Amino acid sequence: MPDTIVLPQANALTARDIDPSLDLEAEIARLRRERNAIILAHYYQDGEIQDLADFVGDSLDLSRKAAATDADVIVFCGVRFMGEVAKILSPDKLVLIPDADAGCSLEDSCKPEPFRAFREAHPDHIAVTYINCSAEVKALSDVIVTSSNAETIIRQLPADRPILFAPDRHLGAFMRRKTGREMTLWPGSCIIHEQFSERELVKLKTQYPAAKIAAHPECPEPILVHADHVGSTRAILDYVLSSPADEFIIATEKHIIHQMEKAAPGKRFIPAPGADGSCDCARCPFMALNTMEKIYLALKNDAPRVEMPEELRIAAKAPLTRMLEMSVSIGRRDAA
Ligand code: 13P
């Protein structure tokens, strides 16, 4: 099946063409209005991009928003697979991503041909695939999940069928422990969540004994065993805001702390440490590729835009639609 294409534009404006005195925020607001565009951002984006966005959310909330919007243009500030999901669910919209190179280590760990072979080697298994994958891998899957609906969906699957879970082995192992289901895991992981250090986390906890630990299920088990709460980015945010505690250690990409500090300025949020004890490693280099300049240029150039062959889109849409149908019990968040 042919690849997804991210189209650049000939003669496009580049960062060098931007007048340094331009008020980028005001220009983006003007273009957004003129184009009837919506700016969607994941919690892992830089704070100024989150503040500019019309909607900030986790992967499930963003997918729902992309499917339901009446905007003509979607500017997706996240990573490439999220832009693909928007195009798959809203094919008539122009879907722009600020940087075509914003990939994902989980997506990179699971290429379509080895994944096809993995499926063929387990013909009786249901393929449950994390949304952090390419459109091609989605097209080869039975149902897509995010970190906020994986348990809900897995519990609805026929109990007598074994499961293949790809590409995140840590989320898969967490689901195996929670649901007791038999699962064969693809050996992928997220470079950000993989680097948290249990030793440094325990050290940090002795420094802040009252701090609650909130972790994303993409973290390895030795991190999760110390967590007071494990959940998607949205669930972590809800947890820290509703908890009576005042201090939290956050084991996921650190830019989500922006939302926490805005909503609960009196509380303290500490990024979980990596192996050298430093905190700056909880920063996704792919998410960081998006900038205000690139959002402005995307709206000026109508590029990079996500396109894909219709055959691929239809095949990838089926397991994504199944995901949305099987997640109706999970509350919708329409404003963020
Ligand atoms: P959620 O958005 O489901 O919390 O997952 C985070 C993530 O992996 C984004 O790439």
Side-chain angles (χ1 to χ4, degrees):
M1 196 172 287
D3 282 355
T4 298
I5 310 160
V6 177
L7 287 172
Q9 170 124 318
N11 306 319
L13 293 179
T14 70
R16 271 185 309 200
D17 302 313
I18 301 177
D19 175 349
S21 67
L22 198 69
D23 180 343
L24 278 177
E25 221 180 298
E27 278 302 297
I28 292 169
R30 182 181 63 78
L31 288 166
R32 168 169 47 190
R33 250 188 338 269
E34 281 176 15
R35 308 293 312 280
N36 187 27
I38 186 172
I39 301 178
L40 305 180
H42 192 270
Y43 293 121
Y44 292 167
Q45 288 291 278
D46 204 57
E48 66 177 345
I49 295 180
Q50 293 187 40
D51 290 346
L52 174 88
D54 297 289
F55 182 83
V56 187
D58 71 359
S59 303
L60 176 62
D61 290 325
L62 286 164
S63 303
R64 285 169 161 174
K65 196 76 186 170
T69 181
D70 55 9
D72 297 318
V73 180
I74 299 173
V75 183
F76 212 123
C77 302
V79 288
R80 197 175 45 231
F81 77 78
M82 297 178 179
E84 285 182 352
V85 167
K87 189 67 187 177
I88 292 165
L89 295 174
S90 277
D92 300 334
K93 318 263 179 223
L94 174 63
V95 178
L96 302 173
I97 51 176
D99 192 310
D101 292 328
C104 168
S105 52
L106 278 163
E107 176 183 341
D108 290 345
S109 79
C110 189
K111 299 291 183 199
E113 282 319 310
F115 182 72
R116 186 195 299 276
F118 182 60
R119 281 224 66 177
E120 284 170 3
H122 303 86
D124 55 335
H125 287 52
I126 301 176
V128 177
T129 306
Y130 193 32
I131 198 165
N132 297 40
C133 66
S134 64
E136 292 87 339
V137 167
K138 286 185 178 73
L140 294 165
S141 303
D142 293 313
V143 63
I144 303 303
V145 297
T146 75
S147 62
S148 61
N149 61 19
E151 182 180 351
T152 303
I153 289 176
I154 288 167
R155 288 193 188 281
Q156 294 174 61
L157 298 176
D160 58 341
R161 296 275 306 279
I163 292 170
L164 289 185
F165 192 95
D168 189 336
R169 66 193 166 107
H170 298 309
L171 176 61
F174 180 63
M175 285 301 129
R176 191 158 58 185
R177 293 194 294 280
K178 285 209 94 169
T179 64
R181 293 296 299 258
E182 189 189 330
M183 288 190 204
T184 301
L185 308 179
W186 181 271
S189 63
C190 160
I191 49 171
I192 305 309
H193 294 89
E194 188 72 85
Q195 56 74 42
F196 291 128
S197 158
E198 182 184 16
R199 178 179 295 274
E200 293 297 329
L201 179 65
V202 170
K203 225 192 271 178
L204 191 64
K205 176 76 182 174
T206 59
Q207 257 178 279
Y208 299 95
K212 298 290 182 195
I213 299 176
H216 195 279
E218 289 179 26
C219 292
E221 188 178 1
I223 298 295
L224 296 182
V225 292
H226 297 283
D228 298 287
H229 174 83
V230 178
S232 75
T233 44
R234 187 233 271 203
I236 291 176
L237 185 57
D238 289 346
Y239 168 72
V240 302
L241 298 185
S242 62
S243 164
D246 291 325
E247 286 178 343
F248 300 88
I249 297 171
I250 306 299
T252 191
E253 215 276 358
K254 68 176 189 176
H255 286 96
I256 191 173
I257 291 176
H258 178 70
Q259 291 293 327
M260 297 174 179
E261 288 175 339
K262 268 174 70 174
K267 296 189 178 189
R268 177 173 197 158
F269 305 104
I270 308 152
D276 64 357
S278 122
C279 292
D280 210 37
C281 29
R283 176 179 176 275
C284 174
F286 302 110
M287 291 276 180
L289 288 173
N290 297 331
T291 61
M292 296 286 277
E293 285 84 357
K294 290 178 193 169
I295 295 170
Y296 167 75
L297 289 171
L299 279 163
K300 286 291 275 185
N301 291 330
D302 274 354
R305 63 177 188 265
V306 181
E307 299 284 357
M308 72 187 69
E310 188 60 4
E311 182 196 0
L312 171 61
R313 191 190 70 78
I314 299 281
K317 188 176 173 215
L320 264 174
T321 304
R322 208 163 289 135
M323 172 188 88
L324 295 174
E325 288 167 357
M326 293 174 85
S327 316
V328 283
S329 66
I330 297 175
R332 189 174 267 281
R333 176 160 301 187
D334 284 323

